[in-house]
Amino acid sequence: MKNTYSYLISLILLLSFLSCKKEVSINTINIIPIPKQLKQNEGYFEINNKTKIVYTADNDVERIASFLSIDLEKRNLNPQFVTFDKNIKLKNVIYLELNPQLDLPKEAYKLSITNNGFHVSASNAAGLFYGYQTIKQLLPANYSKDLAFHHLEIEDVPRFKWRGMHLDVCRHFMPKEYVMKYIDYLASMKMNSFHWHLTEDQGWRIEIKAYPKLTEIGAWRKETLIGHHGKGTKFDGKKHGGFYTQEEIKEVVAYAKDRFITIVPEIEMPGHAQAAISAYPELGCTGEQVDVWNTWGVSPYIYNVEDTTFEFLQTVLDEVMALFPSEYIHIGGDEAIKKQWKSSKKIQRKIKELGLKDEHELQSYFIKRIEKYVNSKGRSIIGWDEILEGGLAPNATVMSWRGTEGGIAASKAHHKVIMSPGTHCYFDHYQSEDRDNEPLAIGGFTDVEKVYSFEPVPEELSKEEAKYILGAQGNVWTEYILTPDHVDYMIFPRMIALSEVLWSPVEKRDYSDFLKRLNVYREVLDREDIHYAKHVFSEE
Ligand code: ACM
């Protein structure tokens, strides 16, 4: 009897204890870009104040562990760090394992969540970083929510090698701090390439020690066109400009490297050169002293083809290559108006002397000569698709922007290609057809659905030719984008849609499922106070 009585008491106590234990809310699994394979299992794991971060002793991994620790600190945890050795008990841990022996491609990772905790593994540090980005997305956006996670297994690998975003800091200068924030945005979506458009008609933005006037003069314009060209064109009367010192550039390059992002600098030639010519008129074809351009469009001021101009460009490229360790240097090549070449006697003599047919062949000569120089320094060039005109430089990679045709032609000719067609990848376009309720933009219409529908590999290509498509990127030209806040509005959420195009397998792409995940991810944008376009969120 006594036994039955005490049994009952224990049972009551146990039941009341269980009923007092708070309900754990397990976080939804919501990952963008969607992983290649994801399997949810029975059970859940809860991170608590005893959970340790265990990591392979390696500088890159230690940095990734510290990124994760910052995320956990925001949730009032202060995890202990431990470097892995075989005596460590992998219980209640987040284990970041870098193991080159693993049979995983570069940038791939595996993530499992079990009773023992999280285990991310990768064969290179970039893969581990992407595994960390997935963990970061699994953490609830709301800092005060429970840290309970479904058991799961993920195997993930990017579809494309080049997952990029571009930013024009010439039409409107963007501070270094914002460029770093932009790099963080890219990292959060597992992108790996930042194309930094640094020279233009409207401003030269990189300090070149051999040619100080490029930034003393070329970085500043007296005023800027207000709105689109039209009747009664007006200017704002305000000086605009700015540039990055070499020290600042080094800082940004290192920041990007720490996040597994390669910065590809763009130094435009032979066109889009008015700011450089304003600083050094002898680089132009007319000898005129011009100002840095104050309006939009394409300036007719183009570099001449004197040996001294090539010496100038090579010196500039020497300094650029010393700052940027990227395999690729973007040399522009787009929209070079040939009018000044046509009307210059000197240039026409040069065309004859070189045995060339016309100005297109001269442009091709120009780009090939620069390519030879860049190649001699162990680097490769990328040019916009106009570099196909008049004959492609032998090793050039083509960035296809006037549609995909240039990219198709280049891959058929066995040149590497980055797709960036205006139709799907220009994030300076309007995001809504209701332009009256949108901030002024350059034109066009590219909404999230259109970006999401983009297929970087055109059907016209054979399997063999398709291998030349490295990937794609979104472009942000800033004629009508004056502030970082407005850049945010133009890239979010379009960049998020593009990240899934670039990372996830085609068969995993499902727009309505993407929208559901985006709707959850939106809480992160809100928490971070990021200005984003709301058209795709139906209730708005
Ligand atoms: C470009 O949009 N001019 C490359």
Side-chain angles (χ1 to χ4, degrees):
M1 186 64 194
K2 196 173 163 229
N3 261 354
T4 315
Y5 185 67
S6 58
Y7 171 76
L8 273 174
I9 296 275
S10 310
L11 191 66
I12 288 164
L13 281 175
L14 179 68
L15 285 173
S16 58
F17 170 76
L18 286 176
S19 64
C20 284
K21 192 169 189 277
K22 82 178 167 72
E23 272 286 299
V24 173
S25 103
I26 306 177
N27 290 294
T28 49
I29 301 171
N30 189 78
I31 304 165
I32 308 178
I34 195 155
K36 185 170 184 209
Q37 276 181 47
L38 188 157
K39 186 165 158 268
Q40 188 181 321
N41 295 327
E42 278 297 309
Y44 71 91
F45 169 76
E46 197 169 2
I47 297 181
N48 58 31
N49 55 16
K50 300 236 165 56
T51 308
K52 291 180 186 147
I53 299 178
V54 178
Y55 64 96
T56 309
D58 171 276
N59 287 343
D60 283 330
V61 187
E62 185 169 343
R63 191 176 60 255
I64 296 167
S66 71
F67 290 151
L68 177 61
S69 164
I70 293 167
D71 299 322
L72 294 177
E73 278 160 26
K74 287 177 183 160
R75 290 158 173 98
N76 279 327
L77 291 167
N78 195 5
Q80 198 191 333
F81 282 74
V82 189
T83 53
F84 178 80
D85 75 59
K86 59 184 184 323
N87 300 319
I88 284 191
K89 252 176 99 187
L90 292 170
K91 218 111 188 88
N92 194 8
V93 293
I94 302 175
Y95 174 31
L96 307 175
E97 181 194 8
L98 174 66
N99 182 354
Q101 312 306 327
L102 289 175
D103 185 23
L104 283 176
K106 280 200 178 104
E107 299 195 304
Y109 70 94
K110 283 189 186 177
L111 167 64
S112 65
I113 304 178
T114 63
N115 279 332
N116 293 333
F118 287 63
H119 179 189
V120 198
S121 53
S123 67
N124 78 338
L128 210 57
F129 182 70
Y130 299 132
Y132 152 68
Q133 289 297 344
T134 293
I135 296 181
K136 192 168 169 171
Q137 287 195 13
L138 289 169
L139 294 170
N142 181 339
Y143 289 149
S144 48
K145 272 182 98 178
D146 292 337
L147 294 178
F149 305 89
H150 290 286
H151 286 176
L152 55 71
E153 281 161 61
I154 291 176
E155 286 193 32
D156 207 3
V157 62
R159 178 174 172 211
F160 289 104
K161 194 171 156 186
W162 187 290
R163 305 181 301 281
M165 284 291 291
H166 147 287
L167 183 64
D168 164 20
V169 293
C170 300
R171 270 50 176 267
H172 283 101
F173 180 67
M174 299 291 157
K176 175 195 78 175
E177 293 72 20
Y178 180 68
V179 174
M180 288 161 145
K181 201 168 176 193
Y182 197 79
I183 285 165
D184 281 329
Y185 295 157
L186 268 65
S188 70
M189 290 295 135
K190 302 186 172 94
M191 290 183 156
N192 64 357
S193 176
F194 170 49
H195 172 172
W196 203 359
H197 184 80
L198 286 164
T199 73
E200 254 307 335
D201 296 317
Q202 293 88 355
W204 182 285
R205 305 277 175 241
I206 171 171
E207 178 192 23
I208 299 295
K209 299 223 193 254
Y211 297 102
K213 285 197 278 184
L214 285 171
T215 43
E216 283 164 17
I217 295 171
W220 306 96
R221 59 177 181 263
K222 290 191 183 118
E223 56 183 357
T224 303
L225 175 76
I226 300 175
H228 288 290
H229 287 284
K231 273 197 212 129
T233 293
K234 284 206 179 95
F235 293 85
D236 64 4
K238 287 187 227 155
K239 183 176 169 182
H240 177 86
F243 66 92
Y244 311 100
T245 64
Q246 295 205 349
E247 283 313 304
E248 288 173 322
I249 292 205
K250 282 182 202 160
E251 206 184 318
V252 177
V253 169
Y255 189 85
K257 182 169 179 276
D258 281 353
R259 287 150 184 84
F260 302 90
I261 288 174
T262 302
I263 304 187
V264 176
E266 181 179 357
I267 306 297
E268 275 268 19
M269 61 191 82
H272 288 284
Q274 184 165 330
I277 293 168
S278 78
Y280 296 99
E282 62 274 23
L283 299 170
C285 299
T286 66
E288 272 169 274
Q289 176 62 66
V290 285
D291 285 336
V292 175
W293 218 24
N294 60 5
T295 189
W296 312 132
V298 189
S299 155
Y301 286 89
I302 184 168
Y303 290 121
N304 63 39
V305 286
E306 300 296 320
D307 286 345
T308 46
T309 296
F310 282 101
E311 277 158 30
F312 161 83
L313 288 168
Q314 288 172 7
T315 306
V316 167
L317 288 169
D318 283 343
E319 292 196 26
V320 167
M321 287 188 277
L323 291 167
F324 294 93
S326 55
E327 176 185 355
Y328 296 103
I329 303 294
H330 202 306
I331 50 76
D334 60 319
E335 301 179 313
I337 297 180
K338 316 283 190 315
K339 209 165 147 215
Q340 294 185 350
W341 278 0
K342 277 201 169 86
S343 53
S344 155
K345 286 202 180 97
K346 247 182 160 175
I347 299 276
Q348 290 305 314
R349 264 205 310 277
K350 189 83 180 178
I351 288 179
K352 280 216 181 78
E353 207 179 286
L354 293 167
L356 303 173
K357 199 167 81 205
D358 56 16
E359 294 74 25
H360 292 298
E361 287 199 358
L362 185 63
Q363 157 135 343
S364 170
Y365 161 83
F366 196 112
I367 301 292
K368 282 177 183 158
R369 186 161 163 179
I370 290 294
E371 178 184 69
K372 203 165 166 196
Y373 187 73
V374 172
N375 286 170
S376 78
K377 304 289 170 187
R379 312 291 185 94
S380 303
I381 64 159
I382 298 179
W384 298 106
D385 57 55
E386 287 93 330
I387 66 167
L388 282 150
E389 293 160 8
L392 195 49
N395 306 310
T397 297
V398 172
M399 194 167 263
S400 192
W401 72 281
R402 297 174 303 174
T404 52
E405 293 78 5
I408 293 169
S411 35
K412 283 187 182 293
H414 295 183
H415 280 256
K416 290 188 241 171
V417 168
I418 296 138
M419 286 296 189
S420 194
T423 48
H424 295 76
C425 295
Y426 269 47
F427 297 167
D428 55 342
H429 287 178
Y430 283 102
Q431 315 189 54
S432 157
E433 283 170 307
D434 177 16
R435 290 189 178 185
D436 292 345
N437 288 314
E438 279 292 284
L440 183 74
I442 199 159
F445 170 55
T446 306
D447 63 1
V448 175
E449 186 167 8
K450 193 159 184 193
V451 176
Y452 197 81
S453 73
F454 181 52
E455 174 44 52
V457 180
E459 279 172 3
E460 291 89 333
L461 299 184
S462 70
K463 222 170 159 190
E464 210 35 53
E465 289 159 352
K467 288 189 186 145
Y468 290 94
I469 310 286
L470 298 182
Q473 75 175 30
N475 292 341
V476 185
W477 302 101
T478 56
E479 286 93 335
Y480 300 95
I481 306 175
L482 278 61
T483 60
D485 192 56
H486 193 176
V487 176
D488 284 356
Y489 179 82
M490 299 307 268
I491 63 171
F492 287 117
R494 291 188 283 197
M495 183 192 99
I496 302 179
L498 183 64
S499 79
E500 192 147 305
V501 169
L502 294 173
W503 179 279
S504 308
V506 190
E507 60 279 10
K508 279 276 179 172
R509 267 205 261 157
D510 173 341
Y511 186 57
S512 62
D513 180 66
F514 169 74
L515 286 184
K516 281 190 211 137
R517 283 177 286 121
L518 184 61
N519 209 28
V520 177
Y521 190 77
R522 180 186 189 186
E523 291 171 37
V524 174
L525 300 179
D526 286 332
R527 185 194 66 207
E528 299 299 320
D529 213 10
I530 290 171
H531 186 200
Y532 59 94
K534 303 207 164 72
H535 313 88
V536 290
F537 303 108
S538 49
E539 73 276 14
E540 240 108 357

